[in-house]
Amino acid sequence: MIAQYNIGSEAIKAVYTYEEWLKEYNRRETKRRIRQRTEHLYYMKQRLSGTIMAAIGIVMPFALDGDATFSLIALPLGIFLLLTQEKVMIF
């Protein structure tokens, strides 16, 4: 693989050996896997938080003898956290 770098008016060519290329490839692949695993863990935490919020929203009217004020916020928030594909929470 030949990489060309243009710095000002001169061009620099870098030639990689297979071992150098393999080392660089493995480094990038490792970084990609770590990033992917971290993101997957983030979404699992967010869904767990949504499940807990939804469960609290369902249980609270029974625990507070009919006062469903807290459930009006907790239940939709829990459902939103369960179903969204966006990063909403900060862990």
Side-chain angles (χ1 to χ4, degrees):
M1 178 166 96
I2 297 177
Q4 281 190 330
Y5 301 103
N6 192 358
I7 301 172
S9 61
E10 60 184 88
I12 301 171
K13 290 186 181 181
V15 178
Y16 292 125
T17 62
Y18 177 73
E19 289 82 21
E20 292 171 339
W21 174 83
L22 188 60
K23 192 183 299 183
E24 179 67 22
Y25 175 79
N26 287 336
R27 185 184 67 78
R28 288 182 186 184
E29 191 67 22
T30 302
K31 283 177 72 173
R32 186 189 64 80
R33 283 190 194 127
I34 290 171
R35 190 178 325 114
Q36 202 172 34
R37 190 178 313 130
T38 304
E39 196 163 315
H40 180 70
L41 186 62
Y42 172 85
Y43 286 118
M44 286 184 63
K45 287 179 187 176
Q46 183 168 305
R47 287 191 182 99
L48 178 65
S49 300
T51 304
I52 291 170
M53 286 294 283
I56 288 173
I58 292 171
V59 171
M60 287 310 279
F62 301 111
L64 297 177
D65 297 326
D67 186 21
T69 307
F70 181 73
S71 293
L72 292 174
I73 295 173
L75 189 59
L77 180 63
I79 292 171
F80 173 72
L81 288 174
L82 275 170
L83 298 178
T84 188
Q85 294 293 321
E86 300 291 324
K87 288 187 175 184
V88 179
M89 301 180 75
I90 299 174
F91 292 107

